[in-house]
């Protein structure tokens, strides 16, 4: 969760009272926040020692989806409403005197579709900054960039002194060699290409360069005099920089995600609209889209949702009336009123500062927070049930027990591994259709989600080379595969794998481990040529780069047909009579190739076995699961 540091004295002033550390800690807990640290003692200690010290700060942990609490303005506003010291502010759009026809316009060029196609903006008129509010304004943008904006990849924010610019504006995408302006903090003009080189060594901006560097065009915002406002998501122009003397602020937001774009522009505008001459007012801007249509941004209209007192009571164990629930919701900055036609129904108005509310359960949670989690009644459940293991977990336990009794030791490697571990070092090629890859890995050790258990077992042997031979280890756990038929585009599969390491390869050992596991799963061993057998398993020689040539086999499983429906049942009977079977490859075993062992720095021969447990799940007694 993000941590926000706020000035302690400034927050007390905004809240209209002072709190002890324990009192404020309790207030934060009641609201769903967490006081991480109060630096008062540290500051006092530094002062006693004659060391430089800042003003005492409160470091507060904020829920990741509460973007409205990422600045002191939002925290103070929310707590004041929660403490019932003020009503939730009502944000409104204020048009110029001439109405919509006098709105500032921004024209979006079709070329932006190739890089950052989405754009929104807002204007804060007659704003008055102090040093503290100015610092908070900059800090909120940084917090949003690191959080919902995903380090500017999805959304980038720019703020400008409107009085230094000449509307209307236009948003284009141009070749980097044709873009030239003086960036923030510089007086000299640079082309976009030169800026990329200039900022390579700049700690703050270097991490954003990759977002547009390889694009043939860069996004750029101009005013009517071709003065550059910003080159998102990298840097603003020095010409339009914000200062303490700025009175009219133009906010531009570019993005690749419409939902996040709307959230970010609303958040920046609403949080600092309190400093406008008329608090909580925002001047909209007309956006002219590439297709000629236009829209007004920002959209700060409230969303209407419906909640039910009966639902809130059923989830919390309370017996509140609709009026009482509506009162609680108002403490959470939600406008609520009881439907006159249905006493159980509550109409809730969601302000633009609360994009975290999606469902009635979110409204119920806010009502529970306002009531106080510690005040909820303690009750025994109305029913008493006994949990059951999932079918796949029960299968895993059968294999674990038998392999442990055979003298093998269970290990638990990490589910993430490097790309080399999962493919190259096993002499396998990556077809880009199998493994789920981490988009932005922090280390080379964690690049993909494993598709096989073998690398983890071999790394365990590598780290225990000093252990006496033989080394006999196994694991029964999940691997993950891409699966475009699923909503989440991936699926988990439970595998069981074992590796035997000794002075001799021990192929017969892992073969025996397979036979023992199948015996306990009540799967008979059959011949691959036995067409009369209705179910069983067999092995068949194969060629696999991971194994030594001629010392590898695939494991096949023939399952009993379980047709459903008249046609399927008839088809099953015909296939059975004709000895037609649909045998499925479930795994492999063999002696590992010397090059595989060399890459994992193992000096002794090893044999490996791995197979999936998924096909056997249906053979078990059916229990209630989410899947069924």
């Amino acid at each position: 969760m993000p941590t926000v540091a706020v000035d302690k004295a400034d927050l007390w002033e905004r809240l209209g009272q002072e709190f002890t550390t324990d009192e404020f800690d309790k207030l934060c807990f009641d609201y769903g926040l967490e006081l991480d640290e109060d630096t008062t003692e540290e500051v006092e200690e530094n002062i006693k020692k004659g060391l430089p010290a800042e003003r005492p700060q409160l470091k507060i942990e904020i829920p990741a989806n509460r973007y409205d609490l990422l600045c002191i303005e939002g925290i103070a506003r929310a707590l004041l409403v929660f403490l019932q010291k003020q009503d939730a502010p009502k944000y409104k759009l204020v048009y110029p005197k001439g109405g919509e026809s006098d709105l500032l316009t921004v024209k979006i060029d079709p070329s932006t579709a190739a890089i950052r196609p989405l754009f929104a903006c807002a204007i804060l008129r007659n704003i008055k900054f102090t040093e503290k509010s100015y610092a908070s304004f900059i800090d909120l943008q940084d917090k949003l960039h690191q959080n919902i904006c995903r380090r500017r990849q999805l959304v980038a924010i720019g703020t400008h002194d409107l009085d230094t610019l000449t509307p209307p504006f236009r948003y284009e995408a141009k070749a980097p060699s044709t873009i030239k302006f003086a960036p923030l903090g510089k007086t000299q003009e640079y082309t976009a290409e030169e800026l990329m080189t200039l900022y390579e060594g700049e700690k703050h901006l270097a991490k954003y360069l990759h977002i547009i560097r390889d694009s043939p065009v860069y996004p750029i915002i101009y005013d009517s005099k071709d003065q550059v406002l910003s080159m998102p998501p990298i840097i603003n122009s020095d010409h339009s920089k914000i200062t303490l003397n700025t009175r009219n602020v133009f906010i531009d937001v570019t993005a690749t995600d419409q939902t996040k774009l709307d959230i970010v522009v609303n958040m920046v505008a609403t949080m600092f609209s309190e400093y406008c001459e008329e608090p909580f007012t925002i001047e909209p801007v007309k956006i002219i889209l590439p297709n000629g249509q236009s829209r007004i941004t920002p959209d700060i209209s409230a969303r209407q949702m419906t909640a039910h007192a009966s639902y809130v009571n059923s989830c919390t164990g309370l017996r509140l009336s609709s009026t009482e629930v509506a009162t609680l919701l108002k403490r959470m900055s939600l406008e609520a009123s009881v439907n006159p036609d249905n006493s159980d129904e509550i109409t809730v108005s969601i302000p633009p500062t609360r994009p975290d509310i999606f469902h009635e359960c979110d409204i119920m949670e806010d009502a529970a927070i306002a009531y106080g989690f510690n005040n909820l009644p303690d009750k025994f459940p109305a029913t008493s049930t006994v949990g059951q293991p999932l079918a796949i977990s029960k299968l895993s336990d059968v294999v674990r027990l038998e392999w442990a009794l055979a003298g093998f030791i269970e290990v638990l490697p990490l589910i993430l591994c490097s790309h080399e571990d999962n493919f190259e070092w096993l002499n396998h090629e990556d077809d880009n259709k199998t493994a789920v890859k981490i988009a932005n890995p922090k280390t080379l050790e964690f690049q993909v989600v494993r598709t096989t258990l073998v690398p983890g077992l071999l790394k365990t042997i590598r780290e225990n080379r000093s252990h006496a031979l033989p080394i006999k280890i196994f694991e029964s756990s999940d691997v993950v595969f891409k699966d475009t038929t699923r909503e989440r585009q991936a699926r988990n599969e439970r595998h069981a794998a074992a590796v035997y390491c000794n002075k001799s390869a021990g192929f017969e050992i892992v073969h025996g481990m397979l036979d023992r596991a199948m015996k306990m799963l009540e799967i008979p061993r059959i011949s691959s040529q036995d067409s009369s057998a209705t179910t069983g398993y067999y092995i068949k020689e194969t060629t696999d780069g991971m194994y030594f040539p001629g010392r590898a086999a695939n494991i096949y499983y023939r399952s009993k047909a379980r047709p459903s429906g008249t046609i399927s049942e008839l088809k099953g009977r015909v296939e059975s009579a004709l000895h037609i079977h649909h045998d499925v490859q479930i795994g492999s075993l063999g002696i590992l190739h010397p090059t595989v062992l060399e890459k994992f720095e193992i000096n002794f021969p090893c044999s490996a076995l791995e197979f999936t447990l998924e096909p056997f799940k249906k053979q078990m007694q059916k229990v209630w699961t989410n899947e069924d």
Side-chain angles (χ1 to χ4, degrees), residues 92-157:
K92 62 179 180 178
L93 296 180
V94 176
Y95 284 72
K97 291 182 179 179
E100 185 175 329
S101 60
D102 282 355
L103 287 178
L104 268 65
T105 60
V106 179
K107 186 175 182 179
I108 312 299
D109 191 88
S111 59
T112 58
I115 181 69
R116 295 177 80 84
L118 305 177
F119 190 91
C121 47
I123 297 172
L124 300 179
R125 290 282 186 186
N126 300 314
I127 198 168
K128 291 184 179 179
F129 281 124
T130 63
E131 288 187 5
K132 291 178 183 176
S133 61
Y134 177 81
S136 180
F137 188 55
I138 302 301
D139 189 55
L140 173 63
Q141 295 175 58
D142 188 55
K143 286 281 195 305
L144 290 170
H145 276 149
Q146 300 307 312
N147 192 317
I148 185 175
C149 300
R150 297 294 186 270
R151 297 180 179 86
R152 303 190 189 182
Q153 293 192 69
L154 300 180
V155 187
I157 310 163

Side-chain angles (χ1 to χ4, degrees), residues 205-223:
L205 293 176
K207 55 189 175 185
Y208 306 125
L209 300 181
H210 71 279
I211 301 173
I212 62 171
R213 165 171 271 165
D214 297 328
S215 173
V217 291
Y218 290 0
I220 192 78
I221 306 171
Y222 292 102
D223 71 0

Side-chain angles (χ1 to χ4, degrees), residues 352-373:
T353 54
R354 295 298 306 275
D356 57 297
I357 296 179
F358 292 100
H359 188 272
E360 187 177 3
C361 66
D362 299 314
I363 297 174
M364 177 275 299
E365 181 186 11
D366 269 14
I369 291 172
Y371 187 85
F373 282 139

Side-chain angles (χ1 to χ4, degrees), residues 71-249:
C71 58
I72 189 173
E73 290 80 6
I75 293 173
R77 206 176 296 169
L79 292 180
L80 283 170
V81 176
F82 182 71
L83 294 170
Q84 297 177 292
K85 291 188 174 183
Q86 71 175 37
D87 293 330
K90 290 181 172 58
Y91 306 98
K92 62 179 180 178
L93 296 180
V94 176
Y95 284 72
K97 291 182 179 179
E100 185 175 329
S101 60
D102 282 355
L103 287 178
L104 268 65
T105 60
V106 179
K107 186 175 182 179
I108 312 299
D109 191 88
S111 59
T112 58
I115 181 69
R116 295 177 80 84
L118 305 177
F119 190 91
C121 47
I123 297 172
L124 300 179
R125 290 282 186 186
N126 300 314
I127 198 168
K128 291 184 179 179
F129 281 124
T130 63
E131 288 187 5
K132 291 178 183 176
S133 61
Y134 177 81
S136 180
F137 188 55
I138 302 301
D139 189 55
L140 173 63
Q141 295 175 58
D142 188 55
K143 286 281 195 305
L144 290 170
H145 276 149
Q146 300 307 312
N147 192 317
I148 185 175
C149 300
R150 297 294 186 270
R151 297 180 179 86
R152 303 190 189 182
Q153 293 192 69
L154 300 180
V155 187
I157 310 163
T159 52
H160 314 275
D161 187 336
L162 183 59
D163 295 331
T164 65
L165 302 168
T166 309
F169 306 113
R170 64 184 193 276
Y171 175 46
E172 303 175 351
K174 301 179 70 174
S177 59
T178 64
I179 298 172
K180 191 171 185 179
F181 67 100
L184 190 63
K186 305 284 186 183
T187 55
Q188 179 182 343
E189 290 191 346
Y190 298 86
T191 65
E193 291 175 329
E194 292 170 337
L195 285 176
M196 288 294 171
T197 304
L198 177 67
Y199 288 129
E200 279 181 348
E202 211 281 335
K203 182 178 179 182
H204 178 64
L205 293 176
K207 55 189 175 185
Y208 306 125
L209 300 181
H210 71 279
I211 301 173
I212 62 171
R213 165 171 271 165
D214 297 328
S215 173
V217 291
Y218 290 0
I220 192 78
I221 306 171
Y222 292 102
D223 71 0
S224 61
K225 293 184 177 180
D226 288 340
Q227 177 63 53
V228 172
L229 281 70
S230 172
M231 186 177 75
I234 309 301
I235 193 74
N236 291 341
S237 165
D238 188 72
H239 176 81
S240 60
K241 66 183 177 183
I242 299 280
T243 68
L244 290 175
N245 297 321
T246 296
R247 289 295 171 263
N248 298 298
V249 176

Side-chain angles (χ1 to χ4, degrees), residues 503-522:
K503 293 181 180 179
S504 60
F507 179 84
E508 70 281 1
I509 302 294
V510 295
H511 194 176
M513 295 287 285
L514 171 64
D515 290 341
R516 183 59 183 167
M518 291 299 181
K519 185 176 181 65
M520 297 311 298
L521 294 174
E522 300 180 353

Side-chain angles (χ1 to χ4, degrees), residues 304-309 321-327 329-330 335-349:
Q304 301 300 317
M305 293 182 65
T306 301
H308 299 84
S321 67
S322 298
T323 304
E324 290 172 320
V325 173
T327 302
L329 293 176
K330 288 178 181 178
E335 285 295 322
S337 59
V338 180
N339 187 338
D341 299 325
N342 185 347
S343 61
D344 184 50
E345 193 173 283
I346 305 165
T347 302
V348 185
S349 181

